[in-house]
Amino acid sequence: MTDDATPLERFLRGIIPENPVYRQLLGLCPTLAVTNNMKAAMTMSGAVLFVLLGANLVVSLIRGLLKPHLRILVFTLTIATFVTIADRFLAAFMYPMSKELGPYVPLIIVNCIIICRCEVCASRQSPAVAIADASGQSLGFALALASIATVREILGSGTWWGIRILPAGWDNWVIMVLPAGAFLTMGLLLGIANWLGTIRSETKGY
Amino acid sequence: MKLRYISEAWLVLLLATGFALALAAVDLAWKTRIEENKRRETIGQIPHLVPGAVRGQKEFVGKVYVYRAFDSAGRQVGWVLPAVGQGFADRIELLIDLDSEAEYITGLYVLEQKETPGLGANIIAAQWRKQFTGKPATLPLHVSQAAIGENEIQAVTGATISSESVVSIVNEAVAGFRRALEGWER
């Protein structure tokens, strides 16, 4: 992680090369908990995008004033504010989804992707870089959640985004909707991602 | 020394004040909408909660607000009492259903909770809530290991505090409502 990367490079990095879920293994709690259907996974991704953009921007703007021993406190305070706004927004405008996500929305406060981006990027970089970084990482998070939710929703409910994909005679794999299905899917996809990564670096010759 | 703390923490204090104001504004803007969502859910739940009920109507008994549940012929079949209290993690909001004389609990529904996923959050499970059905509203309920007595509720495994919170919210609300009902009918 060099510090002289351009905003575009940072944006692209977050999507695949430094994907928060598949590469950094961060934010696994929501990744496992809310991926039994696409709608919940995308709502969670949207909330994380909002919080990460907000937190990164605020932290970047005040980065010159941060005291080393108080910085984590400031990060958490900022994150908690944006999370509360997101939580209230869901309760006001997407009430059934807010009920479905339950405690996982307030738990974004302790999502380490966000505090990690505040620490490694926003507290050292200009607002433009911080926003590009937040967008890239959020997009990477959304892609990771979408990949897991796609497998789990299709196999577990026979639908994708609530639309029936598999024939009506399909026996739903109940395990895919339960927590165990999340671990299985996550493990297999992580394995595939690592395997593809190895092939890629071998063909490049290092 | 103390002064140095304040001079170093000014940014935190300033941010905290700013954020608090922002959150107050958000709350002010969306509060009525959120309340309305909850009210709609409450009304929508009434037919599932009170046997035979088809609709509910909000009203005040003394100072307590409740929903009166009616069947299709317009007869009152029960009461639905909203109740709020502190849980293990955050506020727990319940709907308690009583028969029309408010002598028995006919059901319990968890409107909102943020208890620990996998432990305390199991208070929303129908299997656990079912225990409340048929319990007397005249005696305070309490949590026990075996749940043998007629006013005993078995705790959710690994979530004693969440279970006790629900039971004490129920006790307080039911007792308050029964007091209000007595004074109101006379």
mmCIF file of all heavy atoms in Angstrom, chain B residues 108-155:
data_model
loop_
_atom_site.group_PDB
_atom_site.id
_atom_site.type_symbol
_atom_site.label_atom_id
_atom_site.label_comp_id
_atom_site.label_asym_id
_atom_site.label_seq_id
_atom_site.Cartn_x
_atom_site.Cartn_y
_atom_site.Cartn_z
ATOM 1 N N LEU B 108 -47.832 -12.904 22.510
ATOM 2 C CA LEU B 108 -46.781 -11.901 22.649
ATOM 3 C C LEU B 108 -46.087 -11.765 21.309
ATOM 4 O O LEU B 108 -45.856 -12.765 20.617
ATOM 5 C CB LEU B 108 -45.776 -12.366 23.711
ATOM 6 C CG LEU B 108 -44.608 -11.428 23.987
ATOM 7 C CD1 LEU B 108 -45.072 -10.262 24.844
ATOM 8 C CD2 LEU B 108 -43.493 -12.161 24.702
ATOM 9 N N TYR B 109 -45.776 -10.518 20.924
ATOM 10 C CA TYR B 109 -45.081 -10.300 19.660
ATOM 11 C C TYR B 109 -43.971 -9.278 19.909
ATOM 12 O O TYR B 109 -44.171 -8.316 20.642
ATOM 13 C CB TYR B 109 -46.056 -9.780 18.601
ATOM 14 C CG TYR B 109 -45.422 -9.524 17.251
ATOM 15 C CD1 TYR B 109 -45.081 -10.589 16.419
ATOM 16 C CD2 TYR B 109 -45.161 -8.227 16.821
ATOM 17 C CE1 TYR B 109 -44.496 -10.368 15.190
ATOM 18 C CE2 TYR B 109 -44.577 -7.995 15.580
ATOM 19 C CZ TYR B 109 -44.255 -9.068 14.771
ATOM 20 O OH TYR B 109 -43.663 -8.837 13.544
ATOM 21 N N VAL B 110 -42.797 -9.513 19.333
ATOM 22 C CA VAL B 110 -41.684 -8.588 19.519
ATOM 23 C C VAL B 110 -41.630 -7.650 18.317
ATOM 24 O O VAL B 110 -41.363 -8.064 17.200
ATOM 25 C CB VAL B 110 -40.349 -9.336 19.683
ATOM 26 C CG1 VAL B 110 -39.218 -8.349 19.912
ATOM 27 C CG2 VAL B 110 -40.423 -10.310 20.842
ATOM 28 N N LEU B 111 -41.929 -6.389 18.598
ATOM 29 C CA LEU B 111 -41.990 -5.384 17.537
ATOM 30 C C LEU B 111 -40.587 -4.919 17.171
ATOM 31 O O LEU B 111 -40.261 -4.722 16.016
ATOM 32 C CB LEU B 111 -42.802 -4.193 18.060
ATOM 33 C CG LEU B 111 -43.633 -3.376 17.122
ATOM 34 C CD1 LEU B 111 -44.446 -4.192 16.202
ATOM 35 C CD2 LEU B 111 -44.541 -2.487 17.907
ATOM 36 N N GLU B 112 -39.746 -4.725 18.181
ATOM 37 C CA GLU B 112 -38.394 -4.259 17.902
ATOM 38 C C GLU B 112 -37.449 -4.740 18.990
ATOM 39 O O GLU B 112 -37.775 -4.732 20.171
ATOM 40 C CB GLU B 112 -38.375 -2.727 17.842
ATOM 41 C CG GLU B 112 -36.997 -2.223 17.464
ATOM 42 C CD GLU B 112 -37.022 -0.928 16.675
ATOM 43 O OE1 GLU B 112 -38.079 -0.573 16.150
ATOM 44 O OE2 GLU B 112 -35.968 -0.300 16.613
ATOM 45 N N GLN B 113 -36.253 -5.185 18.573
ATOM 46 C CA GLN B 113 -35.224 -5.609 19.530
ATOM 47 C C GLN B 113 -33.884 -5.571 18.826
ATOM 48 O O GLN B 113 -33.810 -5.701 17.604
ATOM 49 C CB GLN B 113 -35.518 -7.013 20.065
ATOM 50 C CG GLN B 113 -35.624 -8.099 18.997
ATOM 51 C CD GLN B 113 -34.304 -8.705 18.593
ATOM 52 O OE1 GLN B 113 -33.356 -8.693 19.343
ATOM 53 N NE2 GLN B 113 -34.236 -9.213 17.368
ATOM 54 N N LYS B 114 -32.840 -5.364 19.579
ATOM 55 C CA LYS B 114 -31.496 -5.409 19.017
ATOM 56 C C LYS B 114 -30.616 -6.267 19.918
ATOM 57 O O LYS B 114 -29.466 -5.955 20.170
ATOM 58 C CB LYS B 114 -30.923 -4.000 18.870
ATOM 59 C CG LYS B 114 -31.633 -3.173 17.811
ATOM 60 C CD LYS B 114 -30.901 -1.893 17.502
ATOM 61 C CE LYS B 114 -31.417 -1.210 16.246
ATOM 62 N NZ LYS B 114 -32.783 -0.700 16.327
ATOM 63 N N GLU B 115 -31.179 -7.370 20.422
ATOM 64 C CA GLU B 115 -30.417 -8.270 21.299
ATOM 65 C C GLU B 115 -29.351 -9.009 20.482
ATOM 66 O O GLU B 115 -29.368 -8.983 19.256
ATOM 67 C CB GLU B 115 -31.359 -9.264 21.982
ATOM 68 C CG GLU B 115 -32.470 -8.613 22.794
ATOM 69 C CD GLU B 115 -31.971 -7.690 23.889
ATOM 70 O OE1 GLU B 115 -31.521 -8.166 24.916
ATOM 71 O OE2 GLU B 115 -32.019 -6.456 23.697
ATOM 72 N N THR B 116 -28.452 -9.704 21.191
ATOM 73 C CA THR B 116 -27.349 -10.401 20.523
ATOM 74 C C THR B 116 -27.872 -11.419 19.510
ATOM 75 O O THR B 116 -28.641 -12.303 19.873
ATOM 76 C CB THR B 116 -26.507 -11.169 21.559
ATOM 77 O OG1 THR B 116 -26.403 -10.385 22.722
ATOM 78 C CG2 THR B 116 -25.135 -11.497 21.013
ATOM 79 N N PRO B 117 -27.438 -11.325 18.249
ATOM 80 C CA PRO B 117 -27.883 -12.311 17.266
ATOM 81 C C PRO B 117 -27.476 -13.713 17.716
ATOM 82 O O PRO B 117 -26.369 -13.920 18.203
ATOM 83 C CB PRO B 117 -27.132 -11.923 15.991
ATOM 84 C CG PRO B 117 -26.771 -10.487 16.176
ATOM 85 C CD PRO B 117 -26.572 -10.307 17.657
ATOM 86 N N GLY B 118 -28.381 -14.645 17.574
ATOM 87 C CA GLY B 118 -28.096 -16.036 17.917
ATOM 88 C C GLY B 118 -28.359 -16.373 19.369
ATOM 89 O O GLY B 118 -28.527 -17.530 19.714
ATOM 90 N N LEU B 119 -28.380 -15.369 20.259
ATOM 91 C CA LEU B 119 -28.695 -15.637 21.674
ATOM 92 C C LEU B 119 -29.960 -14.874 22.056
ATOM 93 O O LEU B 119 -31.057 -15.382 21.916
ATOM 94 C CB LEU B 119 -27.510 -15.252 22.568
ATOM 95 C CG LEU B 119 -26.226 -16.079 22.368
ATOM 96 C CD1 LEU B 119 -25.061 -15.459 23.109
ATOM 97 C CD2 LEU B 119 -26.438 -17.499 22.837
ATOM 98 N N GLY B 120 -29.765 -13.652 22.515
ATOM 99 C CA GLY B 120 -30.916 -12.867 22.976
ATOM 100 C C GLY B 120 -31.940 -12.624 21.887
ATOM 101 O O GLY B 120 -33.136 -12.514 22.154
ATOM 102 N N ALA B 121 -31.469 -12.550 20.640
ATOM 103 C CA ALA B 121 -32.397 -12.283 19.539
ATOM 104 C C ALA B 121 -33.399 -13.417 19.369
ATOM 105 O O ALA B 121 -34.408 -13.253 18.694
ATOM 106 C CB ALA B 121 -31.632 -12.043 18.236
ATOM 107 N N ASN B 122 -33.136 -14.558 20.008
ATOM 108 C CA ASN B 122 -34.093 -15.667 19.929
ATOM 109 C C ASN B 122 -35.403 -15.381 20.655
ATOM 110 O O ASN B 122 -36.332 -16.178 20.572
ATOM 111 C CB ASN B 122 -33.472 -16.955 20.468
ATOM 112 C CG ASN B 122 -32.443 -17.504 19.500
ATOM 113 O OD1 ASN B 122 -32.447 -17.167 18.322
ATOM 114 N ND2 ASN B 122 -31.544 -18.330 20.002
ATOM 115 N N ILE B 123 -35.496 -14.243 21.356
ATOM 116 C CA ILE B 123 -36.787 -13.881 21.961
ATOM 117 C C ILE B 123 -37.847 -13.682 20.889
ATOM 118 O O ILE B 123 -39.024 -13.701 21.187
ATOM 119 C CB ILE B 123 -36.710 -12.610 22.851
ATOM 120 C CG1 ILE B 123 -36.188 -11.422 22.046
ATOM 121 C CG2 ILE B 123 -35.862 -12.857 24.090
ATOM 122 C CD1 ILE B 123 -36.313 -10.100 22.771
ATOM 123 N N ILE B 124 -37.446 -13.488 19.635
ATOM 124 C CA ILE B 124 -38.462 -13.322 18.591
ATOM 125 C C ILE B 124 -39.001 -14.672 18.106
ATOM 126 O O ILE B 124 -39.982 -14.708 17.385
ATOM 127 C CB ILE B 124 -37.938 -12.510 17.374
ATOM 128 C CG1 ILE B 124 -36.824 -13.271 16.657
ATOM 129 C CG2 ILE B 124 -37.474 -11.132 17.783
ATOM 130 C CD1 ILE B 124 -36.439 -12.639 15.334
ATOM 131 N N ALA B 125 -38.366 -15.768 18.506
ATOM 132 C CA ALA B 125 -38.800 -17.083 18.024
ATOM 133 C C ALA B 125 -40.197 -17.411 18.532
ATOM 134 O O ALA B 125 -40.490 -17.260 19.713
ATOM 135 C CB ALA B 125 -37.806 -18.152 18.480
ATOM 136 N N ALA B 126 -41.058 -17.887 17.626
ATOM 137 C CA ALA B 126 -42.437 -18.211 17.986
ATOM 138 C C ALA B 126 -42.456 -19.263 19.098
ATOM 139 O O ALA B 126 -43.272 -19.211 20.015
ATOM 140 C CB ALA B 126 -43.190 -18.720 16.763
ATOM 141 N N GLN B 127 -41.518 -20.203 19.025
ATOM 142 C CA GLN B 127 -41.424 -21.287 20.002
ATOM 143 C C GLN B 127 -41.288 -20.737 21.427
ATOM 144 O O GLN B 127 -41.896 -21.230 22.360
ATOM 145 C CB GLN B 127 -40.205 -22.145 19.640
ATOM 146 C CG GLN B 127 -40.171 -23.513 20.265
ATOM 147 C CD GLN B 127 -41.347 -24.371 19.807
ATOM 148 O OE1 GLN B 127 -41.820 -24.232 18.686
ATOM 149 N NE2 GLN B 127 -41.830 -25.225 20.693
ATOM 150 N N TRP B 128 -40.459 -19.686 21.571
ATOM 151 C CA TRP B 128 -40.254 -19.113 22.902
ATOM 152 C C TRP B 128 -41.438 -18.251 23.322
ATOM 153 O O TRP B 128 -41.923 -18.328 24.441
ATOM 154 C CB TRP B 128 -38.959 -18.288 22.942
ATOM 155 C CG TRP B 128 -38.619 -17.866 24.340
ATOM 156 C CD1 TRP B 128 -38.116 -18.648 25.326
ATOM 157 C CD2 TRP B 128 -38.806 -16.564 24.914
ATOM 158 N NE1 TRP B 128 -37.970 -17.924 26.485
ATOM 159 C CE2 TRP B 128 -38.384 -16.642 26.260
ATOM 160 C CE3 TRP B 128 -39.284 -15.351 24.428
ATOM 161 C CZ2 TRP B 128 -38.421 -15.552 27.112
ATOM 162 C CZ3 TRP B 128 -39.326 -14.253 25.284
ATOM 163 C CH2 TRP B 128 -38.895 -14.355 26.605
ATOM 164 N N ARG B 129 -41.935 -17.440 22.395
ATOM 165 C CA ARG B 129 -43.033 -16.514 22.722
ATOM 166 C C ARG B 129 -44.310 -17.270 23.090
ATOM 167 O O ARG B 129 -45.140 -16.771 23.844
ATOM 168 C CB ARG B 129 -43.309 -15.595 21.524
ATOM 169 C CG ARG B 129 -42.199 -14.582 21.295
ATOM 170 C CD ARG B 129 -42.590 -13.613 20.213
ATOM 171 N NE ARG B 129 -42.534 -14.184 18.879
ATOM 172 C CZ ARG B 129 -43.584 -14.299 18.067
ATOM 173 N NH1 ARG B 129 -44.771 -13.874 18.439
ATOM 174 N NH2 ARG B 129 -43.439 -14.829 16.876
ATOM 175 N N LYS B 130 -44.443 -18.490 22.539
ATOM 176 C CA LYS B 130 -45.636 -19.296 22.770
ATOM 177 C C LYS B 130 -45.886 -19.543 24.260
ATOM 178 O O LYS B 130 -47.022 -19.696 24.688
ATOM 179 C CB LYS B 130 -45.462 -20.641 22.052
ATOM 180 C CG LYS B 130 -46.691 -21.152 21.375
ATOM 181 C CD LYS B 130 -46.352 -22.304 20.452
ATOM 182 C CE LYS B 130 -45.756 -23.480 21.198
ATOM 183 N NZ LYS B 130 -45.293 -24.530 20.285
ATOM 184 N N GLN B 131 -44.795 -19.566 25.051
ATOM 185 C CA GLN B 131 -44.920 -19.803 26.492
ATOM 186 C C GLN B 131 -45.851 -18.815 27.173
ATOM 187 O O GLN B 131 -46.448 -19.104 28.192
ATOM 188 C CB GLN B 131 -43.558 -19.647 27.175
ATOM 189 C CG GLN B 131 -42.540 -20.669 26.819
ATOM 190 C CD GLN B 131 -41.320 -20.459 27.700
ATOM 191 O OE1 GLN B 131 -41.280 -20.909 28.832
ATOM 192 N NE2 GLN B 131 -40.345 -19.747 27.181
ATOM 193 N N PHE B 132 -45.914 -17.589 26.640
ATOM 194 C CA PHE B 132 -46.708 -16.545 27.285
ATOM 195 C C PHE B 132 -48.201 -16.780 27.085
ATOM 196 O O PHE B 132 -49.005 -16.312 27.881
ATOM 197 C CB PHE B 132 -46.314 -15.166 26.746
ATOM 198 C CG PHE B 132 -44.970 -14.703 27.233
ATOM 199 C CD1 PHE B 132 -43.813 -15.078 26.571
ATOM 200 C CD2 PHE B 132 -44.870 -13.917 28.368
ATOM 201 C CE1 PHE B 132 -42.572 -14.664 27.032
ATOM 202 C CE2 PHE B 132 -43.640 -13.490 28.830
ATOM 203 C CZ PHE B 132 -42.485 -13.860 28.159
ATOM 204 N N THR B 133 -48.564 -17.486 26.019
ATOM 205 C CA THR B 133 -49.976 -17.704 25.718
ATOM 206 C C THR B 133 -50.636 -18.501 26.840
ATOM 207 O O THR B 133 -50.131 -19.556 27.222
ATOM 208 C CB THR B 133 -50.108 -18.444 24.374
ATOM 209 O OG1 THR B 133 -49.364 -17.713 23.405
ATOM 210 C CG2 THR B 133 -51.553 -18.554 23.941
ATOM 211 N N GLY B 134 -51.722 -17.953 27.372
ATOM 212 C CA GLY B 134 -52.463 -18.648 28.419
ATOM 213 C C GLY B 134 -51.991 -18.351 29.835
ATOM 214 O O GLY B 134 -52.575 -18.829 30.796
ATOM 215 N N LYS B 135 -50.927 -17.546 29.960
ATOM 216 C CA LYS B 135 -50.442 -17.207 31.302
ATOM 217 C C LYS B 135 -51.397 -16.190 31.944
ATOM 218 O O LYS B 135 -51.977 -15.357 31.250
ATOM 219 C CB LYS B 135 -49.030 -16.604 31.222
ATOM 220 C CG LYS B 135 -47.959 -17.627 30.862
ATOM 221 C CD LYS B 135 -47.595 -18.489 32.043
ATOM 222 C CE LYS B 135 -46.425 -19.405 31.767
ATOM 223 N NZ LYS B 135 -46.759 -20.603 30.999
ATOM 224 N N PRO B 136 -51.558 -16.261 33.264
ATOM 225 C CA PRO B 136 -52.466 -15.314 33.917
ATOM 226 C C PRO B 136 -51.915 -13.889 33.885
ATOM 227 O O PRO B 136 -50.711 -13.694 34.031
ATOM 228 C CB PRO B 136 -52.543 -15.842 35.355
ATOM 229 C CG PRO B 136 -51.289 -16.611 35.543
ATOM 230 C CD PRO B 136 -50.948 -17.200 34.214
ATOM 231 N N ALA B 137 -52.791 -12.924 33.704
ATOM 232 C CA ALA B 137 -52.370 -11.528 33.720
ATOM 233 C C ALA B 137 -52.455 -10.971 35.131
ATOM 234 O O ALA B 137 -52.029 -9.850 35.400
ATOM 235 C CB ALA B 137 -53.248 -10.714 32.775
ATOM 236 N N THR B 138 -53.033 -11.771 36.049
ATOM 237 C CA THR B 138 -53.247 -11.294 37.415
ATOM 238 C C THR B 138 -52.017 -11.485 38.298
ATOM 239 O O THR B 138 -51.845 -10.797 39.287
ATOM 240 C CB THR B 138 -54.433 -12.050 38.040
ATOM 241 O OG1 THR B 138 -54.326 -13.424 37.652
ATOM 242 C CG2 THR B 138 -55.750 -11.499 37.550
ATOM 243 N N LEU B 139 -51.144 -12.443 37.938
ATOM 244 C CA LEU B 139 -49.931 -12.706 38.716
ATOM 245 C C LEU B 139 -48.723 -12.197 37.957
ATOM 246 O O LEU B 139 -48.696 -12.288 36.735
ATOM 247 C CB LEU B 139 -49.743 -14.225 38.890
ATOM 248 C CG LEU B 139 -50.748 -15.008 39.703
ATOM 249 C CD1 LEU B 139 -50.484 -16.494 39.533
ATOM 250 C CD2 LEU B 139 -50.664 -14.608 41.154
ATOM 251 N N PRO B 140 -47.694 -11.673 38.688
ATOM 252 C CA PRO B 140 -46.474 -11.319 37.958
ATOM 253 C C PRO B 140 -45.766 -12.598 37.480
ATOM 254 O O PRO B 140 -45.701 -13.586 38.207
ATOM 255 C CB PRO B 140 -45.632 -10.571 38.990
ATOM 256 C CG PRO B 140 -46.270 -10.817 40.311
ATOM 257 C CD PRO B 140 -47.649 -11.321 40.103
ATOM 258 N N LEU B 141 -45.255 -12.580 36.271
ATOM 259 C CA LEU B 141 -44.532 -13.735 35.739
ATOM 260 C C LEU B 141 -43.096 -13.676 36.213
ATOM 261 O O LEU B 141 -42.596 -12.619 36.549
ATOM 262 C CB LEU B 141 -44.545 -13.710 34.212
ATOM 263 C CG LEU B 141 -45.910 -13.639 33.542
ATOM 264 C CD1 LEU B 141 -45.730 -13.537 32.035
ATOM 265 C CD2 LEU B 141 -46.741 -14.849 33.892
ATOM 266 N N HIS B 142 -42.416 -14.815 36.284
ATOM 267 C CA HIS B 142 -40.974 -14.763 36.476
ATOM 268 C C HIS B 142 -40.249 -15.869 35.726
ATOM 269 O O HIS B 142 -40.850 -16.877 35.356
ATOM 270 C CB HIS B 142 -40.579 -14.702 37.965
ATOM 271 C CG HIS B 142 -41.137 -15.806 38.782
ATOM 272 N ND1 HIS B 142 -40.484 -16.987 38.910
ATOM 273 C CD2 HIS B 142 -42.290 -15.893 39.481
ATOM 274 C CE1 HIS B 142 -41.220 -17.783 39.682
ATOM 275 N NE2 HIS B 142 -42.312 -17.147 40.032
ATOM 276 N N VAL B 143 -38.952 -15.619 35.508
ATOM 277 C CA VAL B 143 -38.144 -16.537 34.725
ATOM 278 C C VAL B 143 -37.642 -17.652 35.629
ATOM 279 O O VAL B 143 -37.234 -17.397 36.750
ATOM 280 C CB VAL B 143 -36.947 -15.783 34.115
ATOM 281 C CG1 VAL B 143 -36.000 -16.740 33.422
ATOM 282 C CG2 VAL B 143 -37.432 -14.725 33.147
ATOM 283 N N SER B 144 -37.697 -18.897 35.152
ATOM 284 C CA SER B 144 -37.162 -19.998 35.944
ATOM 285 C C SER B 144 -36.484 -21.001 35.028
ATOM 286 O O SER B 144 -36.572 -20.904 33.809
ATOM 287 C CB SER B 144 -38.265 -20.671 36.736
ATOM 288 O OG SER B 144 -39.016 -21.487 35.852
ATOM 289 N N GLN B 145 -35.802 -21.950 35.634
ATOM 290 C CA GLN B 145 -35.092 -22.967 34.864
ATOM 291 C C GLN B 145 -36.064 -23.935 34.194
ATOM 292 O O GLN B 145 -35.951 -24.241 33.019
ATOM 293 C CB GLN B 145 -34.183 -23.779 35.809
ATOM 294 C CG GLN B 145 -33.017 -22.996 36.355
ATOM 295 C CD GLN B 145 -31.906 -22.890 35.340
ATOM 296 O OE1 GLN B 145 -31.595 -23.840 34.663
ATOM 297 N NE2 GLN B 145 -31.307 -21.714 35.228
ATOM 298 N N ALA B 146 -37.026 -24.419 34.995
ATOM 299 C CA ALA B 146 -37.853 -25.507 34.508
ATOM 300 C C ALA B 146 -39.201 -25.052 33.958
ATOM 301 O O ALA B 146 -39.784 -25.732 33.135
ATOM 302 C CB ALA B 146 -38.073 -26.507 35.643
ATOM 303 N N ALA B 147 -39.677 -23.885 34.407
ATOM 304 C CA ALA B 147 -40.974 -23.370 33.985
ATOM 305 C C ALA B 147 -42.101 -24.349 34.280
ATOM 306 O O ALA B 147 -42.793 -24.828 33.391
ATOM 307 C CB ALA B 147 -40.963 -22.987 32.513
ATOM 308 N N ILE B 148 -42.255 -24.684 35.554
ATOM 309 C CA ILE B 148 -43.304 -25.630 35.932
ATOM 310 C C ILE B 148 -44.554 -24.871 36.362
ATOM 311 O O ILE B 148 -45.665 -25.224 35.994
ATOM 312 C CB ILE B 148 -42.830 -26.556 37.091
ATOM 313 C CG1 ILE B 148 -41.545 -27.259 36.670
ATOM 314 C CG2 ILE B 148 -43.901 -27.559 37.466
ATOM 315 C CD1 ILE B 148 -40.778 -27.888 37.798
ATOM 316 N N GLY B 149 -44.372 -23.815 37.166
ATOM 317 C CA GLY B 149 -45.505 -23.073 37.717
ATOM 318 C C GLY B 149 -46.287 -22.363 36.626
ATOM 319 O O GLY B 149 -45.806 -22.170 35.515
ATOM 320 N N GLU B 150 -47.544 -21.977 36.991
ATOM 321 C CA GLU B 150 -48.392 -21.371 35.963
ATOM 322 C C GLU B 150 -47.939 -19.954 35.595
ATOM 323 O O GLU B 150 -48.362 -19.423 34.588
ATOM 324 C CB GLU B 150 -49.856 -21.366 36.416
ATOM 325 C CG GLU B 150 -50.107 -20.530 37.664
ATOM 326 C CD GLU B 150 -51.568 -20.169 37.832
ATOM 327 O OE1 GLU B 150 -52.345 -20.361 36.884
ATOM 328 O OE2 GLU B 150 -51.921 -19.671 38.915
ATOM 329 N N ASN B 151 -47.095 -19.358 36.429
ATOM 330 C CA ASN B 151 -46.618 -18.023 36.071
ATOM 331 C C ASN B 151 -45.098 -18.016 35.829
ATOM 332 O O ASN B 151 -44.433 -17.031 36.045
ATOM 333 C CB ASN B 151 -47.003 -16.992 37.133
ATOM 334 C CG ASN B 151 -46.416 -17.326 38.484
ATOM 335 O OD1 ASN B 151 -46.081 -18.471 38.756
ATOM 336 N ND2 ASN B 151 -46.264 -16.324 39.322
ATOM 337 N N GLU B 152 -44.566 -19.161 35.401
ATOM 338 C CA GLU B 152 -43.134 -19.236 35.141
ATOM 339 C C GLU B 152 -42.833 -19.345 33.647
ATOM 340 O O GLU B 152 -43.540 -20.019 32.911
ATOM 341 C CB GLU B 152 -42.522 -20.434 35.887
ATOM 342 C CG GLU B 152 -42.447 -20.182 37.377
ATOM 343 C CD GLU B 152 -41.828 -21.345 38.131
ATOM 344 O OE1 GLU B 152 -41.835 -22.471 37.624
ATOM 345 O OE2 GLU B 152 -41.330 -21.101 39.239
ATOM 346 N N ILE B 153 -41.767 -18.682 33.245
ATOM 347 C CA ILE B 153 -41.342 -18.664 31.840
ATOM 348 C C ILE B 153 -39.918 -19.201 31.794
ATOM 349 O O ILE B 153 -39.068 -18.767 32.573
ATOM 350 C CB ILE B 153 -41.345 -17.213 31.297
ATOM 351 C CG1 ILE B 153 -42.744 -16.591 31.343
ATOM 352 C CG2 ILE B 153 -40.747 -17.140 29.901
ATOM 353 C CD1 ILE B 153 -43.716 -17.133 30.327
ATOM 354 N N GLN B 154 -39.654 -20.116 30.876
ATOM 355 C CA GLN B 154 -38.301 -20.642 30.747
ATOM 356 C C GLN B 154 -37.447 -19.653 29.940
ATOM 357 O O GLN B 154 -37.895 -19.139 28.912
ATOM 358 C CB GLN B 154 -38.335 -21.983 30.033
ATOM 359 C CG GLN B 154 -37.054 -22.760 30.217
ATOM 360 C CD GLN B 154 -37.186 -24.189 29.717
ATOM 361 O OE1 GLN B 154 -38.214 -24.571 29.165
ATOM 362 N NE2 GLN B 154 -36.149 -24.966 29.900
ATOM 363 N N ALA B 155 -36.227 -19.387 30.422
ATOM 364 C CA ALA B 155 -35.361 -18.418 29.758
ATOM 365 C C ALA B 155 -34.860 -18.953 28.411
ATOM 366 O O ALA B 155 -34.760 -20.164 28.219
ATOM 367 C CB ALA B 155 -34.169 -18.097 30.645
#
